[in-house]
């Protein structure tokens, strides 16, 4: 069966035809490890894990690359705020990220390269861009000259002036033009740095993915993925520098982006103070519940995160586990059941098929197919004993205590003390109380 994907480069749903059917290449932008990942970061982890599974079901070899950005301005600032080294910070956050992936039952990619282990490749690419006239050095900075690349803006489907007007472009007197982006910058004292022809410094964020994708997938490959917020400037800049350095007509053939997760229809972001970290859910709820929730809406549509969604997914899995047995043999999932996934990863359609299979399995029909179909998308991966351990009794807490803690949390959020607000939310969650910010009010209920 043919796979169809929405390609943001063409703004069309297209049949997926790999350059080499014997080795499909996929690169997905991974985390910048300055802080623990939140639920918004979990969405691409699960979406592209599903795509990885689907590709492996159709092709003999799939090379999936997901990078770790372990050098970046955010990392340096966070390490300074915490008074620890960048190495200590990135190792701690990376370890937590891997635990989150395990919790969500995501398969490991084929390669997970770290940026700091590929600085030499980045320096080599910068040299190529300078030699070919696409980049320039000024005062120990190196910039890509955007006007030299005529296809700039094709992924965003906007003209250069529109892109600049609608984004936060770094202002620097070292640039020739405001839209030019940094490839190399000098490091300040006590910041991580590497030797280069332009002095001690570090690479620009956009360059890192171009160098690592080239190493593991070549100059051109099949699929590039990530969150919708990466289209501009990150992915636009990746295309520009990669095509110019490699003299290639394309970089990736298919560009796939997932939409945001919202809370009360507001984008989940640290600036909003509405972050839910993945690690907050560990030992409190099964990762399968989070995974099913993330798959409940098509990846191209915003997903609003709320208590009802979590409760519905918990109840669905409770129901499915009633007929689950680890002794049942896995079988090949039929194309009819898989069909929604072939149609642009329609996970809600696939979940609808699972509900239909469950109804049959209750009557003793196709139980092997039902369980195998659940496992195909990473569900029913725990035995019943493991599943039951998450069903804990609520810890006693009075309504007066809950309201006092919510009041303290609201004050912390108003003062932008988001860490304190998160701690209060976690304390309530430990006691079995779920809270939700909606229409300017904070609602709560027992989970």
């Amino acid at each position: 069966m043919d796979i169809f994907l929405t390609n943001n480069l063409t703004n069309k749903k297209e049949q997926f035809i790999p350059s080499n059917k014997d080795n499909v290449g996929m690169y997905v932008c991974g985390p910048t490890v300055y802080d623990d990942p939140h639920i918004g970061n979990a969405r691409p982890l699960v979406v592209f894990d599903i795509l990885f599974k689907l590709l492996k079901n159709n092709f003999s070899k799939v090379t999936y690359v997901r990078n770790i950005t372990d050098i970046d301005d955010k990392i340096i600032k966070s390490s300074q705020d915490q008074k620890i080294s960048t190495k200590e910070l990135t190792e701690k956050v990376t370890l937590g990220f891997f635990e989150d992936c395990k919790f969500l039952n995501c398969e490991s990619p084929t390669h997970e390269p770290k940026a700091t282990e590929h600085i030499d490749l980045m320096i080599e690419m910068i040299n190529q861009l300078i030699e070919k006239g696409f980049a320039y050095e000024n005062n120990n900075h190196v910039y890509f000259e955007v006007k030299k690349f005529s296809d700039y803006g094709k992924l965003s489907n906007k003209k250069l002036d529109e892109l600049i007007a609608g984004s936060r472009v770094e202002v620097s007197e070292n640039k020739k033009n405001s839209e030019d982006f940094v490839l190399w910058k000098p490091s300040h004292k006590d910041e991580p740095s590497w030797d280069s022809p332009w002095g001690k410094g570090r690479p620009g964020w956009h360059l890192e993915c171009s160098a690592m994708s080239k190493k593991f997938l070549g100059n051109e490959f099949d699929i590039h993925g990530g969150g919708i917020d990466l289209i501009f400037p990150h992915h636009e800049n990746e295309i520009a520098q990669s095509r110019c350095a490699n003299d290639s007509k394309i970089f990736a053939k298919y560009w796939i982006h997932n939409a945001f997760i919202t809370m009360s229809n507001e984008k989940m972001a640290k600036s909003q103070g509405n972050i839910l970290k993945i690690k907050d859910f560990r030992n409190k709820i099964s990762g399968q519940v989070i995974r099913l929730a993330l798959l409940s809406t098509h990846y191209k549509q915003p997903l609003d995160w709320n208590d009802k969604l979590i409760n519905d997914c918990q109840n669905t899995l409770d129901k499915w586990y009633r007929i689950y047995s680890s002794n049942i043999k896995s079988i090949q999932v039929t194309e009819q059941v898989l069909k929604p996934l072939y149609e642009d990863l329609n996970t809600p359609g696939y979940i609808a098929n699972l509900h239909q299979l469950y109804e049959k399995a209750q009557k003793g029909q196709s139980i092997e197919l039902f369980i195998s179909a659940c496992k195909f998308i990473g569900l029913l991966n725990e035995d019943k004993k493991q599943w039951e351990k998450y069903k804990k009794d609520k810890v006693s807490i009075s309504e007066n205590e809950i309201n006092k803690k919510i009041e303290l949390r609201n004050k912390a959020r108003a003062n932008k003390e988001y860490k304190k607000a998160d701690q209060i939310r976690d304390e309530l969650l430990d006691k079995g109380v779920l809270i939700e910010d909606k229409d300017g009010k904070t609602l709560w209920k027992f989970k």
Side-chain angles (χ1 to χ4, degrees), residues 125-174:
M125 184 170 276
I126 294 171
N127 272 323
Q128 290 171 338
L129 288 166
I130 292 173
E131 289 168 8
K132 293 173 181 179
F134 293 105
Y136 58 91
E137 186 266 340
N138 187 19
N139 195 23
N140 303 117
H141 294 72
V142 183
Y143 292 96
F144 183 91
E145 192 167 358
V146 168
K147 287 178 180 174
K148 295 284 184 74
F149 182 58
S150 60
D151 281 349
Y152 196 85
K154 284 200 170 179
L155 179 64
S156 317
N157 198 28
K158 290 183 179 180
K159 294 178 181 177
L160 183 57
D161 291 343
E162 292 176 298
L163 289 170
I164 295 168
S167 69
R168 291 175 294 179
V169 176
E170 180 195 0
V171 177
S172 173
E173 60 185 17
N174 297 307

Side-chain angles (χ1 to χ4, degrees), residues 70-72 76 86 115-120 122-123 184-187 191-203 208:
D70 57 349
I71 179 62
D72 181 76
I76 292 170
T86 55
T116 55
E117 295 172 356
H118 297 87
I119 302 294
D120 56 334
M122 297 171 203
I123 291 172
W184 188 267
K185 63 173 76 174
S187 296
E191 291 180 351
S193 64
W194 290 263
D195 291 325
S196 81
W198 320 285
K200 279 187 173 292
R202 61 184 189 273
E208 297 174 5

Side-chain angles (χ1 to χ4, degrees), residues 119-286:
I119 302 294
D120 56 334
L121 297 181
M122 297 171 203
I123 291 172
E124 182 183 334
M125 184 170 276
I126 294 171
N127 272 323
Q128 290 171 338
L129 288 166
I130 292 173
E131 289 168 8
K132 293 173 181 179
F134 293 105
Y136 58 91
E137 186 266 340
N138 187 19
N139 195 23
N140 303 117
H141 294 72
V142 183
Y143 292 96
F144 183 91
E145 192 167 358
V146 168
K147 287 178 180 174
K148 295 284 184 74
F149 182 58
S150 60
D151 281 349
Y152 196 85
K154 284 200 170 179
L155 179 64
S156 317
N157 198 28
K158 290 183 179 180
K159 294 178 181 177
L160 183 57
D161 291 343
E162 292 176 298
L163 289 170
I164 295 168
S167 69
R168 291 175 294 179
V169 176
E170 180 195 0
V171 177
S172 173
E173 60 185 17
N174 297 307
K175 293 182 180 184
K176 286 184 182 178
N177 314 291
S178 62
E179 67 270 17
D180 297 346
F181 60 88
V182 70
L183 300 172
W184 188 267
K185 63 173 76 174
S187 296
H188 298 299
K189 187 181 178 183
D190 299 327
E191 291 180 351
S193 64
W194 290 263
D195 291 325
S196 81
W198 320 285
K200 279 187 173 292
R202 61 184 189 273
W205 171 46
H206 311 299
L207 185 76
E208 297 174 5
C209 288
S210 285
M212 290 184 282
S213 63
K214 179 176 181 176
K215 176 180 177 179
F216 293 100
L217 299 172
N219 292 348
E220 301 177 7
F221 54 93
D222 297 306
I223 296 170
H224 197 312
I228 196 169
D229 55 321
L230 296 180
I231 291 177
F232 185 84
H234 186 50
H235 288 168
E236 200 74 73
N237 292 352
E238 275 190 71
I239 292 170
Q241 63 203 7
S242 292
R243 282 187 53 192
C244 292
N246 301 330
D247 295 321
S248 56
K249 290 184 178 179
I250 66 165
F251 176 39
K253 287 175 66 178
Y254 302 87
W255 288 81
I256 317 298
H257 298 94
N258 63 274
F260 293 126
I261 286 184
T262 60
M263 289 186 71
S264 301
N265 297 313
E266 288 185 352
K267 179 191 170 186
M268 190 176 288
K270 286 185 171 59
S271 59
Q272 299 289 343
N274 61 358
I275 290 295
L276 292 174
K277 293 182 178 180
I278 303 169
K279 73 174 187 179
D280 294 340
F281 292 93
R282 292 189 217 150
N283 302 319
K284 298 169 185 173
I285 193 170
S286 169

